[in-house]
Amino acid sequence: MKRLTLLLPAVALFFGICIQNVQAQSSSVTAQAFAEVIAAITATETSQLNFGRFSPEEMGGQIQMSPLGVRHSTGTLQLSGGLHNPAGFYITGQSDATFSITLPAGPAVLTNFGSSKTMTVGKWESIPPAGLSAGVLNGGSQAISVGATLNVGGMNDNPVGIYSGTYSITFAYN
């Protein structure tokens, strides 16, 4: 019993020293943090989306304007001469930054100001394709081309005149 009585204080003293040694081995460090502010991304419209001249005839139809500038019609639409082109945008920002493109979620409405009749624009597409990893601002800039499809009614629904409207596209850093 004497051995156990002497052994217990020795064991307690040993563990106390070990615990003190662990606490004495800790250290603290002062670290650095960094942040970099970059130029805001900007967008400029370089050309307006233009479906050109056409006649809807009896039933109307659709005109597809591709981002490459190819115009195609369906239904009874008769395409005519005149200018037609996809929308063009020029975006600038931090060199080599990645960016995203968000096209309109729904249709845009074009209105004939003489008759208040309307047409809708939908099925948006772009080059580069829309999404989170649309592209990289090589040298701090990128040209974007946007096409869409125009839905046209018959001559009674869409009489002669110029139709116009607006839509929103968002360009953002990833």
Side-chain angles (χ1 to χ4, degrees):
M1 187 73 156
K2 277 188 176 185
R3 278 189 179 175
L4 186 57
T5 306
L6 290 175
L7 186 59
L8 285 175
V11 170
L13 179 61
F14 174 75
F15 282 116
I17 291 172
C18 288
I19 291 172
Q20 287 177 353
N21 284 342
V22 169
Q23 292 172 347
Q25 292 177 2
S26 66
S27 66
S28 64
V29 160
T30 301
Q32 294 182 349
F34 294 92
E36 180 181 2
V37 176
I38 61 175
I41 195 167
T42 61
T44 304
E45 184 180 43
T46 58
S47 63
Q48 296 176 340
L49 179 60
N50 185 347
F51 292 95
R53 293 180 174 174
F54 59 91
S55 176
E57 303 298 324
E58 301 158 8
M59 303 294 290
Q62 295 183 326
I63 299 174
Q64 179 189 21
M65 175 57 65
S66 80
L68 295 173
V70 177
R71 183 172 71 154
H72 174 74
S73 67
T74 61
T76 62
L77 290 169
Q78 296 298 313
L79 298 177
S80 181
L83 296 176
H84 58 275
N85 54 269
F89 299 93
Y90 188 72
I91 60 173
T92 60
Q94 180 67 35
S95 184
D96 299 324
T98 59
F99 65 93
S100 64
I101 300 172
T102 304
L103 297 173
V109 177
L110 305 185
T111 303
N112 178 325
F113 293 105
S115 68
S116 297
K117 298 287 186 165
T118 62
M119 298 179 199
T120 60
V121 179
K123 296 182 183 176
W124 303 92
E125 55 183 330
S126 65
I127 294 177
L132 289 179
S133 296
V136 176
L137 295 176
N138 295 321
S141 64
Q142 175 70 46
I144 310 293
S145 182
V146 175
T149 300
L150 177 67
N151 300 299
V152 183
M155 188 61 88
N156 290 334
D157 296 322
N158 292 126
V160 172
I162 296 174
Y163 292 72
S164 67
T166 62
Y167 59 95
S168 293
I169 296 178
T170 302
F171 304 101
Y173 289 124
N174 284 342

